Amino acid sequence: MRHSLLKCCLLVPLLAGWAHAVPGPSTLIANVSGRATVNLDGAWRTIVDPFDNGKARGFFRNERPRDKSDLVEYSFDASPVLNVPGDWNTQREQLMFYEGPVWYRREFTYHKRANTRVFVYFGAANYQTAVYLNGEKLGEHEGGFTPFNFEATSSLRDGDNCLVVEVINTRRADAVPALRFDWWNYGGITRDVSLVEVPGTFIQDYFLQLERGSSHQISGWVQFNGPLTRHEVTIQIPEAGVEIKTLTTASGFARLGFDASQAACGRKPAPKCGAPLKLWSPESPNLYRVIISGEGDTVVDQIGFRTIEVQGSRILLNGKPIFLRGISMHEEAPFREGRAFSPEDAQTLLGWVKDLGCNFVRFAHYPHNENEVRLADRMGLLVWSEIPVYWDIDWSNPATLANAEAQLRDMIARDHNRAAVILWSLSNETPVKPERLTFLKQLAQYAREFDSTRLITSAMNHVDDTGPNERTISDPLGEALDVLGLNEYLGWYGGRPEDADQMQWKLKWDKPLIVSEFGGGAPYGHHGDADERWTEEYQENLFQHQLGMVELMPNLAGLTPWVLMDFRSPARMLPAVQDYHNRKGLISNRGQRKLAFYTLQKFYKKLADAGK
Ligand code: GCU
């Protein structure tokens, strides 16, 4: 890590040569759940505004008629509520297909305190958001799956306050994702909202992890926000006996580098002196309590220490080869449907992932909520995290690139201290063309600037037919990646499941390969012959042949078949079969396990028993 997230952006355009407005430094406050907060979740008054009249009408002022003759043509007081967090589509039938602006209002009482700054923090809102406090605009955000916060200190009143938020989920050709994607375009304030209270000078962000190839050398940084007095920061890892102090620069940035097994030697008694760190792994997801303090602020986090790297065609976790037994999943709520957001949703979904025998999960196709990522950290599930550069987007548009970079930056900023996260994915199934390659190579470089400790990947689906039963993975993007992701639907979108038995695969790049998608659709309970589409038997048969094929693929380092659970999609309209659901789940959206669930579970048990 050469630069903190808050400093490096100035470098990128110079290196990559495509002039565009690189997004500013991340302004995210790290580890909000470890801070003093006021939760603003609950029932918010809402106005559905299909023609976006609200701005011109001043909805953000939350006006009420001053007297009986005054004309105010809207009223939050008289408007229905929507729950926050939550998508609006599954809360009100008439909004299921709605794409457009919705205005939210939340009134709250707050008592200001000395030397306290306050930020409004959103876990996410899809897609474009404008935030107003007491009629003043705090800021705007674009992107449906990454957090954002705005400082509210000066707009906040001591007493009654009114927060108004406009959320627009209208799809645009220059957006990320663009016009077409295979998941429901759930709109709204989809994750928690809170007020975050911090001292005048506070620890904005920090990063701590083992250096590649080392089981004891920790490096990282801490970034303060606000005027500095002592310029000193202390890092404590009590269970490891670590306590180190270092100085910040004038701009509040402190670089860290220390040997965890020796750092405990400075103090008397030093029972931990020379003791190795307990490394994080799926078998033992050991998290250390880490205390970062300085300038009157203290943040406590739970961090696991592990290394992840590539060696030839293998992925090494803590220096040892690992096979990633995974599954892909959407952030769709089990049973009730809609966007998942709660710790309970995460527990149910990742519990199913564990039941499959997985040590790995691909969060498709956008950064999932922090509850899932932190639970994966505790459960010992390795994570592939992705930004929604999905199918075809506006590759030549500098604003689209800056948008994708901002989503990438914030995905990394939120989760860079999570040991579970090992792969940053830049895209999914994007068409091979020069402007796309330039765009994605830029993102790859951008990601490596922010985080040199993790692996960069993408899910590709471009293969060359290099023989009657031979396919070569030759996407030029492979050159820019550490790990190759392949989506292939042999037996579903082409060929018969049995064709997999003969299929030979070749790689243009001698890099680890993850088969990031394969699968077929079957509504739970649809039974019939193994060659009858849409039956569980067809899906089961497809999995059996696929698993036989992938086991023989070169450089195979992992799998994330498509998909854990059926999910809503506007692209799936087959009546009585899909009914606007993608049915490739191994589990129905009602939690029912299909035959193929057990096929994969058995396969992973075999691998685990063989130590893979
Ligand atoms: C694609 C895509 C998924 C999609 C799946 C499918 O590969 O990445 O988002 O849902 O195929 O067709 O079911």
Side-chain angles (χ1 to χ4, degrees):
M1 173 73 60
R2 282 193 298 275
H3 300 279
S4 88
L5 278 169
L6 302 173
K7 288 192 175 323
C8 80
C9 303
L10 305 169
L11 271 180
V12 174
L14 305 171
L15 297 170
W18 177 10
H20 71 287
V22 176
S26 169
T27 58
L28 273 182
I29 297 176
N31 184 16
V32 161
S33 55
R35 314 264 183 171
T37 57
V38 177
N39 185 291
L40 294 179
D41 292 350
W44 294 40
R45 297 275 175 195
T46 55
I47 301 175
V48 179
D49 179 16
F51 286 16
D52 207 5
N53 286 313
K55 287 191 195 66
R57 297 245 186 105
F59 284 12
F60 54 89
R61 283 192 288 272
N62 183 35
E63 290 148 313
R64 296 178 172 91
R66 282 181 298 263
D67 55 46
K68 65 182 179 190
S69 55
D70 196 10
L71 171 63
V72 177
E73 275 191 294
Y74 69 93
S75 163
F76 278 108
D77 298 334
S79 295
V81 297
L82 283 170
N83 288 325
V84 169
D87 61 274
W88 59 59
N89 311 72
T90 56
Q91 291 190 58
R92 228 183 274 168
E93 191 155 353
Q94 86 220 93
L95 295 178
M96 178 53 81
F97 288 83
Y98 180 71
E99 293 188 310
V102 171
W103 292 79
Y104 289 77
R105 183 202 71 183
R106 177 74 159 80
E107 293 183 314
F108 62 93
T109 303
Y110 183 81
H111 295 298
K112 300 184 86 167
R113 286 182 293 125
N115 186 35
T116 303
R117 295 166 66 186
V118 180
F119 290 75
V120 185
Y121 183 95
F122 292 78
N126 190 49
Y127 172 77
Q128 246 184 302
T129 308
V131 179
Y132 305 83
L133 180 60
N134 301 325
E136 286 173 36
K137 190 170 199 172
L138 296 184
E140 288 200 12
H141 180 262
E142 179 161 350
F145 304 99
T146 43
F148 53 98
N149 48 244
F150 301 119
E151 176 142 22
T153 314
S154 59
S155 307
L156 206 55
R157 291 192 192 125
D158 193 24
D160 296 339
N161 287 272
C162 176
L163 188 64
V164 172
V165 180
E166 182 186 18
V167 182
I168 306 176
N169 73 335
T170 308
R171 287 166 293 121
R172 299 193 331 263
D174 64 341
V176 179
L179 295 171
R180 292 183 46 253
F181 41 88
D182 190 21
W183 65 83
W184 206 263
N185 186 23
Y186 290 122
I189 303 177
T190 50
R191 296 179 190 157
D192 299 326
V193 182
S194 54
L195 298 178
V196 184
E197 299 172 315
V198 289
T201 298
F202 68 97
I203 296 162
Q204 167 129 21
D205 196 358
Y206 51 87
F207 178 75
L208 272 175
Q209 194 44 260
L210 285 171
E211 284 188 5
R212 274 212 176 146
S214 169
S215 63
H216 51 84
Q217 190 61 31
I218 291 180
S219 70
W221 47 265
V222 177
Q223 177 69 59
F224 284 86
N225 177 325
L228 298 163
T229 50
R230 295 170 47 80
H231 295 274
E232 187 183 69
V233 60
T234 304
I235 307 290
Q236 295 165 284
I237 313 178
E239 290 140 74
V242 167
E243 176 164 335
I244 60 131
K245 293 183 184 299
T246 187
L247 293 179
T248 71
T249 62
S251 62
F253 177 71
R255 175 176 309 297
L256 306 167
F258 58 92
D259 181 333
S261 64
Q262 294 309 310
C265 302
R267 306 161 62 203
K268 294 285 174 277
K272 303 278 180 183
C273 178
L277 280 175
K278 284 194 247 90
L279 299 184
W280 185 99
S281 69
E283 296 74 33
S284 61
N286 188 62
L287 298 175
Y288 280 92
R289 201 161 66 87
V290 176
I291 306 163
I292 299 153
S293 54
E295 302 294 322
D297 192 18
T298 299
V299 182
V300 180
D301 206 345
Q302 297 286 330
I303 299 180
F305 294 100
R306 55 95 188 96
T307 61
I308 189 76
E309 55 202 304
V310 160
Q311 192 180 65
S313 64
R314 298 182 306 174
I315 295 177
L316 307 186
L317 177 73
N318 298 331
K320 295 195 213 71
I322 185 162
F323 186 85
L324 303 171
R325 304 187 308 271
I327 188 82
S328 294
M329 62 178 265
H330 264 290
E331 191 190 43
E332 178 100 17
F335 310 113
R336 74 171 191 279
E337 299 194 294
R339 270 278 159 250
F341 58 79
S342 68
E344 297 72 29
D345 293 336
Q347 191 63 53
T348 302
L349 294 165
L350 298 189
W352 290 341
V353 171
K354 275 278 192 180
D355 291 351
L356 262 174
C358 295
N359 61 4
F360 178 52
V361 61
R362 175 187 177 207
F363 290 154
H365 294 291
Y366 37 77
H368 284 210
N369 64 74
E370 201 172 347
N371 290 320
E372 288 181 17
V373 179
R374 284 191 177 264
L375 182 57
D377 229 18
R378 294 193 299 274
M379 272 180 155
L381 277 171
L382 294 155
V383 169
W384 160 313
S385 188
E386 185 166 294
I387 53 171
V389 173
Y390 182 93
W391 288 344
D392 212 2
I393 68 169
D394 194 357
W395 304 104
S396 310
N397 182 336
T400 303
L401 176 60
N403 177 356
E405 285 174 336
Q407 296 192 39
L408 180 61
R409 175 203 63 203
D410 293 342
M411 171 173 78
I412 296 175
R414 190 196 71 186
D415 295 337
H416 58 191
N417 286 307
R418 306 281 74 77
V421 180
I422 55 168
L423 287 151
W424 301 123
S425 172
L426 310 174
S427 64
N428 181 74
E429 294 193 353
T430 49
V432 173
K433 48 188 174 181
E435 58 274 30
R436 166 257 193 186
L437 190 58
T438 308
F439 188 107
L440 292 177
K441 279 190 166 176
Q442 189 116 349
L443 287 185
Q445 184 169 320
Y446 198 71
R448 290 199 172 92
E449 275 295 331
F450 287 147
D451 183 1
S452 60
T453 71
R454 288 184 175 84
L455 307 175
I456 305 298
T457 191
S458 266
M460 302 175 283
N461 62 340
H462 172 83
V463 295
D464 292 332
D465 292 9
T466 44
N469 287 308
E470 186 183 279
R471 298 284 180 280
T472 299
I473 302 165
S474 56
D475 187 328
L477 176 61
E479 188 210 347
L481 306 176
D482 301 311
V483 173
L484 309 173
L486 171 72
N487 294 1
E488 53 82 17
Y489 280 89
L490 185 58
W492 187 256
Y493 290 127
R496 298 163 312 129
E498 293 71 19
D499 297 346
D501 304 349
Q502 277 76 40
M503 191 57 74
Q504 305 291 317
W505 291 85
K506 289 206 167 9
L507 303 180
K508 181 167 177 196
W509 318 98
D510 183 25
K511 296 182 176 182
L513 171 68
I514 294 177
V515 176
S516 36
E517 289 184 35
F518 69 77
Y524 175 77
H526 275 217
H527 291 288
D529 298 336
D531 61 355
E532 185 183 343
R533 285 266 175 179
W534 303 114
T535 62
E536 288 194 41
E537 285 74 12
Y538 188 107
Q539 188 188 41
E540 179 190 37
N541 181 43
L542 181 145
F543 264 72
Q544 283 158 350
H545 290 283
Q546 279 287 322
L547 294 173
M549 176 188 78
V550 296
E551 247 190 322
L552 305 174
M553 286 170 89
N555 296 19
L556 189 72
L559 292 178
T560 54
W562 194 257
V563 64
L564 177 70
M565 183 186 86
D566 292 354
F567 60 94
R568 248 182 215 287
S569 168
R572 312 292 168 175
M573 308 86 146
L574 189 58
V577 173
Q578 295 177 313
D579 296 324
Y580 290 109
H581 287 77
N582 184 310
R583 297 291 184 196
K584 294 191 179 73
L586 298 181
I587 303 176
S588 77
N589 43 301
R590 300 266 168 275
Q592 303 141 317
R593 298 176 179 193
K594 305 174 191 178
L595 296 175
F597 176 98
Y598 302 103
T599 309
L600 186 60
Q601 187 185 52
K602 208 164 110 229
F603 178 75
Y604 281 164
K605 180 159 185 347
K606 184 190 79 178
L607 292 186
D609 293 349
K612 278 187 89 173

